[in-house]
Amino acid sequence: MGIFLGLVSSATFGLISFFTLPLMLSGISMETILVYRFAIATATMGLILAAKRESLLIGLRPLLKISGLSIFYMFAVLLFFQAFAYLPSGIVATLQFQYPVMVALIMIFFFHERFRWQTGIALACAVGGVALLSLGPVGQPVTGAPESAARIAIGTALGLISGLCNGLYYVGLQVARLPAINGLVMTFYVMLFGAVFCISNALFSGRLEWVATWPELANLFLLALVTAVISNLTLVLAIRKIGSTMTSILGVMEPLTAVGVGCVIFGEPFTNQLAAGALLIVGAVLLVLLTPGKRS
């Protein structure tokens, strides 16, 4: 069940560019998109919890821990979005996907997690597969600005730091000792803190806009429901069951989903390079399935 939840989490997060890039290309600022994403997600989670009559009282100490985790999550998302303005989305995805390696190293060196050969090969397959899926004719940065050495350096730094923040979020979910808190409640608070952060950032930068057209609002609602609510809830549950290292490796479904959407919906060509990347990703998932003690 944990592996299934991890796959669902990464697959739904893989749809983020599908919903986001059309909004950014239509002129809506990244800050506005993030405000709507987290505000809608928070409201949706609040309605679900109200319908289930779940209490939001979790104590000050757990609340502070979740707020700290939310900071890592928010910086991961924010820097990931900002990197789109400097590098093509495929390059950004490859850079950001170094986070499984970071998670594995953090867990091994700081929390003494046992290193298994299956984990090492799965990591290599995952990173290699993502590189094959993402590196190639993947278009231009969202801004359309020409690439230069400085822009490439900035985009690379943003992508790698985003991956590090994402890795720290994964690790934090495992080691923060919050197992007694309902997954729905934890997801609600992550979304709530994210909304506060995004609103503050948008107001400070002066880039908060009203979105008035129904197609764009529908796109924002789906962005929030699929890539925030579903993705984060299944992520929390997956890490509780199989740990942060294995869950991060299963993040390979994120770029694979993005490529699949491009080929099936937008008619992009399915090349030998993409096929090789997909096979490596399938191999990584199979190795996770075969790793002893990680099937729950």
Side-chain angles (χ1 to χ4, degrees):
M1 186 62 178
I3 290 175
F4 171 75
L5 291 168
L7 291 172
V8 171
S9 175
S10 60
T12 50
F13 193 79
L15 294 171
I16 194 167
S17 59
F18 173 69
F19 296 114
T20 301
L21 291 180
L23 293 167
M24 296 179 74
L25 290 171
S26 68
I28 300 176
S29 70
M30 175 269 295
E31 290 83 358
T32 297
I33 293 172
L34 287 175
V35 167
Y36 276 86
R37 179 179 186 254
F38 282 96
I40 293 172
T42 302
T44 301
M45 290 303 305
L47 291 173
I48 293 173
L49 290 169
K52 294 175 64 67
R53 297 183 178 180
E54 292 280 354
S55 174
L56 293 176
L57 299 177
I58 60 173
L60 179 60
R61 189 179 182 87
L63 189 64
L64 291 175
K65 288 183 178 181
I66 295 176
S67 67
L69 292 175
S70 300
I71 292 174
F72 288 126
Y73 178 74
M74 278 312 309
F75 274 108
V77 174
L78 185 63
L79 296 176
F80 182 68
F81 275 55
Q82 288 182 335
F84 285 161
Y86 295 91
L87 292 173
S89 59
I91 304 289
V92 175
T94 301
L95 291 169
Q96 203 258 4
F97 193 75
Q98 302 309 306
Y99 72 84
V101 179
M102 300 174 186
V103 170
L105 292 176
I106 291 171
M107 292 304 299
I108 290 169
F109 287 107
F110 292 96
F111 298 99
H112 310 293
E113 182 175 87
R114 179 184 173 189
F115 181 79
R116 302 175 185 272
W117 66 267
Q118 295 98 329
T119 302
I121 297 177
L123 280 170
C125 289
V127 174
V130 171
L132 287 174
L133 290 181
S134 304
L135 300 178
V138 289
Q140 297 296 320
V142 170
T143 60
E147 296 178 42
S148 65
R151 293 182 63 82
I152 291 173
I154 293 172
T156 300
L158 291 173
L160 290 174
I161 297 173
S162 170
L164 177 60
C165 291
N166 204 35
L168 292 171
Y169 176 64
Y170 273 62
V171 171
L173 285 175
Q174 179 175 345
V175 304
R177 298 181 181 180
L178 297 168
I181 299 178
N182 184 301
L184 289 170
V185 175
M186 186 180 296
T187 304
F188 168 80
Y189 278 114
V190 170
M191 296 298 102
L192 176 62
F193 287 125
V196 172
F197 180 93
C198 289
I199 292 172
S200 301
N201 178 59
L203 291 174
F204 180 78
S205 63
R207 302 194 66 187
L208 181 60
E209 310 163 26
W210 290 107
V211 178
T213 67
W214 285 111
E216 290 174 343
L217 287 171
N219 206 3
L220 287 165
F221 177 80
L222 290 173
L223 174 69
L225 179 63
V226 175
T227 74
V229 175
I230 296 176
S231 181
N232 280 278
L233 177 58
T234 50
L235 174 65
V236 169
L237 297 177
I239 289 177
R240 286 181 176 179
K241 290 182 175 294
I242 61 174
S244 57
T245 300
M246 290 302 173
T247 303
S248 67
I249 294 174
L250 293 174
V252 291
M253 284 302 296
E254 176 188 332
L256 187 60
T257 300
V259 169
V261 167
C263 293
V264 174
I265 296 180
F266 298 116
E268 297 175 357
F270 187 75
T271 64
N272 291 333
Q273 177 178 323
L274 295 181
L279 286 175
L280 282 174
I281 284 175
V282 171
V285 174
L286 289 176
L287 281 168
V288 171
L289 288 170
L290 295 173
T291 300
K294 295 294 184 182
R295 300 180 187 179
S296 59

